[in-house]
């Protein structure tokens, strides 16, 4: 815990943002760092709550020891706070920026709507680790002689690779794109996380003996069977990439796009790469001077909103089929779980017009080009209400309603075809593997992250990558010292 009476004496404070009028002019991160003294005061608010739900299964999937490192920061012991945080989380600079912080929802002080600023403290610890030289290679003392291949370099693949590399295995990560990071690099905009943080971790992991093979599309350029023959174990961390079908009439009109090609294109522009991607080929999509409609109410939709504003969109409207949530939840009914309540992302706060309890009926166009989106209000069962139809002008529309499993090409196609791998019973066709040993129905092939559990958070991917690494290490060596 922090200061005994800290939660009574100190008000909650989190990072402030650059004004929206300034931040929409660039794609860089726009949070304004807090001083060490301010962060230490926020850490002091962590109370002796008896049962710290923040790092239990309801709060933090990777079980960050939040009260412990809050106490260390409060006592200005940043070095041990850094060590403690990294004992459970390989990449706190990622989660400190892009995790929605279920830990804060589970904080005891959230019963009064003033939770400890856990995410702010976590990011400060991670950034301090870079400043003080803690983020450096930690190579193993000896090698095991075992070879492990990892397919995919998103957060699950990266976490597993680092754990296995530090255990002494010869780890080879195969990435389809030109740079590692998966959708964390190519899907999440730079204004939420700048990609030099990923580059720093890749450099660290290379210093620990991990080898990255970029531009290798496993299942196309190199069969999975070949990887299994060359390695003692293979971990599949391919992510969830297939857009959930919207089945909206007119979705073949020019100007209607799935969200991911749009986001990937802009991230590649910012990164100085050609916009054409192996997985997301498309002609250039630019929102400058356009009226934009985003279908969907989640994080991906919000990322489209922020990207469109930065490209110079005239107007951005976001459609959500769900009813507008209450401003405040019933704490006694939902705490310490994630609550459904009105939330406004930084991108939405930049000027988006939000429509709730609205269904998208049809994309309307002229001469094959989108001109508008026909909508209507829906009832509690999401059925259209007659007589409520209206049309929103639109030059561009992005469909962001989630993902329905791995891309059914390359790895997934080979696994389902030649190897007859077992997938789950849902239409998503995620790879079947439990969350204890992460083994698939194919011998020596493991699966972790979104390709196993479905579309989820970066923090869940890190958890699964770490746990899968321990399972593989245990299978190869008979025992493991890696944490689970």
């Amino acid at each position: 815990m922090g200061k005994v009476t800290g939660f009574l004496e100190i008000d909650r404070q989190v990072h402030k943002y650059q004004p929206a009028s300034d931040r929409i002019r660039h794609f860089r991160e726009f949070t304004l760092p807090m001083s060490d003294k301010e962060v230490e005061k926020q850490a002091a608010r962590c109370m002796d709550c008896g049962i710290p739900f923040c790092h239990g299964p309801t709060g933090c999937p990777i079980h960050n020891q939040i009260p412990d490192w809050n106490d260390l920061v409060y006592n200005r012991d940043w070095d041990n706070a850094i060590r403690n945080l990294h004992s459970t989380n390989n990449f706190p600079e990622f989660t400190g920026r892009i995790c929605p912080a279920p830990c804060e929802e589970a904080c005891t002080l959230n019963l009064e709507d003033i939770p400890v600023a856990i995410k702010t403290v976590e990011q400060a610890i991670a950034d301090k680790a870079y400043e003080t030289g803690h983020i450096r290679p930690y190579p193993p003392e000896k090698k095991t002689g075992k070879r492990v291949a990892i397919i995919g370099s998103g957060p699950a693949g990266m976490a597993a690779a680092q754990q296995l590399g530090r255990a002494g295995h010869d780890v080879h990560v195969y990435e389809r794109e030109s740079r590692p990071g998966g959708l964390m690099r190519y899907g999440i905009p730079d204004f939420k996380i700048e990609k030099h943080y990923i580059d720093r971790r890749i450099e660290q992991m290379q210093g620990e003996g991990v080898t990255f093979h970029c531009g290798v599309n496993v299942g196309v350029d190199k069969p999975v069977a070949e990887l299994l023959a060359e390695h003692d174990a293979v971990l599949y961390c391919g992510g969830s990439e297939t857009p959930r079908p919207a089945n909206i009439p007119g979705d073949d009109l020019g100007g209607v796009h799935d969200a991911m090609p749009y986001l990937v294109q802009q991230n590649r522009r910012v990164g100085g790469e050609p916009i054409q991607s192996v997985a997301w080929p498309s002609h250039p999509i630019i929102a400058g001077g356009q009226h934009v409609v985003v279908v969907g109410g989640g994080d991906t939709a919000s990322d489209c909103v922020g990207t469109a504003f930065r490209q110079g969109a005239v107007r951005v409207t976001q459609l959500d089929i769900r009813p507008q949530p209450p401003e405040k939840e019933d704490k006694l009914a939902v705490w310490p779980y994630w609550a459904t309540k009105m939330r406004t992302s930084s991108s939405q706060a930049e000027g988006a017009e939000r429509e709730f309890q609205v269904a998208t009926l049809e994309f309307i166009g002229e001469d094959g080009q989108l001109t508008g989106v026909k909508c209507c209000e829906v009832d509690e069962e999401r059925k259209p209400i007659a007589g409520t139809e209206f049309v929103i002008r639109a030059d561009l529309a992005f469909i962001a309603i989630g993902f329905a499993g791995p891309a059914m090409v390359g790895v997934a196609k080979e696994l389902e075809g030649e190897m007859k791998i077992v997938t789950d019973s849902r239409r998503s066709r995620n790879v079947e593997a439990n969350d204890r040993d992460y083994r698939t129905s194919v011998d020596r092939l493991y699966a972790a992250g979104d390709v196993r559990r479905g579309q989820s958070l970066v923090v869940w991917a890190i958890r699964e990558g770490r746990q899968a690494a321990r399972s593989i290490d245990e299978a190869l060596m008979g025992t493991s010292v890696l944490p689970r």
Side-chain angles (χ1 to χ4, degrees):
M1 59 172 289
K3 185 179 181 181
V4 175
T5 56
F7 71 98
L8 296 172
E9 301 169 9
I10 302 167
D11 291 334
R12 170 180 161 88
Q13 181 182 349
V14 297
H15 283 143
K16 291 183 172 60
Y17 295 156
Q18 290 179 0
S21 58
D22 293 339
R23 66 183 189 248
I24 63 171
R25 300 176 186 275
H26 60 78
F27 280 88
R28 301 184 302 276
E29 291 182 17
F30 51 80
T31 55
L32 304 176
M34 293 168 60
S35 68
D36 288 356
K37 187 174 181 180
E38 291 172 324
V39 174
E40 289 162 6
K41 287 176 65 178
Q42 291 307 304
R45 297 184 64 247
C46 189
M47 61 190 294
D48 186 9
C49 57
I51 299 177
F53 288 93
C54 58
H55 69 80
T58 57
C60 182
I62 50 178
H63 302 294
N64 280 338
Q65 300 170 86
I66 294 163
D68 293 2
W69 44 254
N70 270 326
D71 182 61
L72 291 165
V73 169
Y74 163 59
N75 287 292
R76 301 179 183 176
D77 189 354
W78 287 85
D79 284 353
N80 278 320
I82 290 165
R83 293 187 183 94
N84 187 297
L85 179 53
H86 278 92
S87 71
T88 57
N89 186 354
N90 296 70
F91 314 120
E93 68 276 24
F94 300 169
T95 54
R97 284 172 166 81
I98 58 179
C99 182
C103 52
E104 293 190 15
E105 290 287 304
C107 177
T108 303
L109 285 175
N110 191 40
L111 286 167
E112 297 293 330
D113 292 311
I114 50 170
V116 175
I118 299 169
K119 183 176 175 179
T120 296
V121 177
E122 179 180 30
Q123 181 179 334
I125 295 172
D127 291 346
K128 176 72 73 174
Y130 281 110
E131 294 172 14
T132 55
H134 281 79
I135 309 303
R136 62 181 186 275
Y138 294 91
E141 295 181 359
K142 61 180 181 179
K143 290 287 190 176
T144 64
K146 301 293 186 180
R147 286 170 56 90
V148 181
I150 297 176
I151 304 170
S153 65
M158 285 180 64
Q162 184 163 68
Q163 294 295 93
L164 289 166
R166 289 177 174 177
H169 304 304
D170 183 17
V171 181
H172 293 261
V173 181
Y174 292 85
E175 170 55 47
R176 177 188 59 206
E177 300 293 341
S178 54
R179 296 177 185 174
L183 287 184
M184 190 166 56
R185 178 186 292 277
Y186 291 108
I188 299 175
D190 282 63
F191 56 79
K192 291 177 73 171
I193 178 170
E194 294 180 6
K195 303 310 183 281
H196 62 82
Y197 293 107
I198 301 174
D199 296 333
R200 283 175 171 178
R201 284 296 182 180
I202 298 302
E203 184 178 351
Q204 179 194 34
M205 292 164 66
Q206 288 171 331
E208 295 169 351
V210 176
T211 304
F212 289 86
H213 304 269
C214 293
V216 179
N217 193 354
V218 176
V220 177
D221 304 326
K222 190 178 184 69
V224 180
E226 190 175 313
L227 283 182
L228 285 166
E230 295 173 350
H231 298 82
D232 297 290
V234 175
L235 175 61
Y236 180 24
C237 298
S240 182
E241 298 178 304
T242 301
R244 183 172 288 123
N247 299 319
I248 301 172
D251 59 6
D252 57 343
L253 289 170
V256 180
H257 306 274
D258 286 316
M260 201 49 64
Y262 175 59
L263 296 175
V264 170
Q265 269 193 26
Q266 184 55 40
N267 280 356
R268 293 178 73 90
R269 284 192 194 96
V270 174
E273 296 186 71
I275 65 169
Q276 291 298 326
S277 166
V278 176
W280 312 99
S282 180
H283 63 274
I285 311 169
I286 298 290
Q290 307 289 298
H291 288 72
V292 178
V293 170
V294 181
V295 180
D299 290 337
T300 302
S302 183
D303 292 344
C304 289
V305 170
T307 301
F309 277 130
R310 282 159 180 76
Q311 289 184 344
V314 174
R315 177 186 179 190
V316 181
T317 305
Q318 186 176 357
L319 308 178
D320 195 332
I321 198 170
R322 298 170 298 183
Q324 181 168 338
E327 290 292 332
K328 180 177 172 60
E329 73 274 32
D330 181 350
K331 296 290 186 184
L332 297 182
V334 298
W335 181 86
Y337 299 97
W338 185 262
T340 299
K341 62 182 177 181
M342 189 64 177
R343 302 174 192 269
T344 301
S345 71
S346 59
S347 293
Q348 291 164 340
E350 290 163 1
E353 297 181 26
R354 302 171 71 183
E355 296 280 356
F356 290 96
Q357 211 160 347
V358 165
T360 306
L361 298 178
E362 181 184 3
F363 295 113
I364 302 170
E366 293 180 6
D367 300 323
Q369 184 64 35
L370 178 73
T371 59
V373 179
K374 185 177 180 181
C375 310
C376 74
E377 296 178 12
V378 296
D379 59 21
E380 294 180 354
E381 297 180 353
R382 299 186 178 183
K383 294 180 180 179
I385 299 174
T388 63
E389 296 84 0
F390 60 98
V391 175
I392 301 173
R393 176 182 170 182
D395 307 300
L396 275 178
F398 299 113
I399 302 172
I401 58 173
F403 300 88
M408 297 314 297
V409 295
V411 179
K413 185 176 181 181
E414 180 183 350
L415 291 177
E416 284 203 15
E418 299 173 21
M419 297 189 174
K420 308 297 183 186
I421 196 169
V422 176
T423 56
D424 64 16
S425 58
R426 297 175 294 178
R427 289 180 296 174
S428 57
R429 296 159 78 180
N430 297 322
V431 174
E432 185 73 46
N434 63 50
D435 60 359
R436 295 182 300 278
D437 58 23
Y438 294 89
R439 294 175 185 265
T440 71
S441 58
V442 176
D443 186 39
R444 297 185 295 110
L445 178 66
Y446 300 74
D450 288 4
V451 77
R452 187 200 74 86
R453 67 177 289 115
Q455 176 189 358
S456 191
L457 304 175
V458 165
V459 68
W460 275 102
I462 294 173
R463 169 197 170 114
E464 296 213 349
R466 286 171 61 91
Q467 292 185 341
R470 177 186 168 88
S471 177
I472 292 170
D473 185 43
E474 201 167 29
L476 295 179
M477 307 304 295
T479 186
S480 178
V481 296
L482 293 176
R484 196 178 189 280

